[in-house]
Structure formats: structure tokens, C-alpha cells
Amino acid sequence: QVQMVESGGGLVQAGGSLRLSCAVSGSIFSLGTMGWYRQAPGKQRELVATINNGGQITSYADSVKGRFTISRDNAKNMVYLQMNSLKPEDTAVYYCNVGRWGGIRDWGLGTQVTVSS
């Protein structure tokens, strides 16, 4: 049973930065493409960033492109999300999981990111 444990969230002012981490109990190499998702209050969960197994191919939602950077360390079974130039609309609970909806494993508890204006 793969488990995801997200950390690194917090309260930050608009324009600030945070780095999220995701520790996966199991081989992320075997999971393939990994992703970060977020869910804001009253909204559906959305996929904001993905990274392939080798780390060379990344993709981002238009809303975060140019501000967020996803990375992974297969040896440590870790996935990261560097978030810069944060905006109030980035406020959400952030989750990591397999980077495609069809391969989703059990969700972790997520980490809360709150951006004040």
C-alpha cells in the first residue's frame, strides 16, 4: 500500500515562496509520472504539475506556469514543489500522487497553503 505524506505548507504573504515535499512509502520510480494536485475550498481537486520518471519532462497548469517548479528524487522516493510568487488564489490543500487521474493511489492528508493578500 503506497502512502503519500505531504509537508511544507504554511501561511505566507502574497509574493512569497514555499517548498512542498512529498515522502512516498514505496518506489516512486515504479509509480511513473508523479504530480501535485490542489483543492481550494468549494472547488474540485485539480492537477497543477507533473514530472516524468526521469525528471526531464514536466508540465504545469496555466495558472502556475512560470511560478511553480516540480522535481523528484527517485533514490529518496521524494517529490517536491517549489512555489514562487505566490498569489491568494494559490490558497488550497496540496497533495501529491501519481500524475494521471487514471493511476491515482490513496490520497494523503495533504498540506495546507494559505496566501494572504
Side-chain angles (χ1 to χ4, degrees):
Q1 191 86 358
V2 176
Q3 291 185 320
M4 323 280 178
V5 179
E6 301 89 353
S7 62
L11 173 63
V12 63
Q13 288 189 331
S17 298
L18 285 173
R19 188 189 191 218
L20 306 184
S21 298
C22 175
V24 182
S25 66
S27 168
I28 61 171
F29 185 83
S30 67
L31 294 178
T33 295
M34 296 295 293
W36 281 95
Y37 300 74
R38 69 184 181 187
Q39 187 166 18
K43 295 188 176 181
Q44 289 189 330
R45 194 166 299 187
E46 61 172 336
L47 178 60
V48 297
T50 65
I51 185 167
N52 75 326
N53 234 339
Q56 314 95 324
I57 301 173
T58 57
S59 67
Y60 300 92
D62 287 343
S63 57
V64 307
K65 201 171 293 184
R67 301 187 296 120
F68 289 12
T69 302
I70 187 171
S71 60
R72 66 192 287 164
D73 186 331
N74 289 344
K76 296 181 179 179
N77 294 318
M78 296 289 294
V79 186
Y80 306 97
L81 187 68
Q82 177 67 43
M83 306 187 298
N84 299 327
S85 302
L86 283 161
K87 304 175 181 180
E89 50 264 43
D90 294 319
T91 295
V93 179
Y94 285 72
Y95 305 85
C96 73
N97 212 306
V98 173
R100 55 183 179 89
W101 288 104
I104 291 295
R105 303 300 181 97
D106 289 345
W107 294 101
L109 296 178
T111 186
Q112 175 71 49
V113 171
T114 303
V115 184
S116 62
S117 56

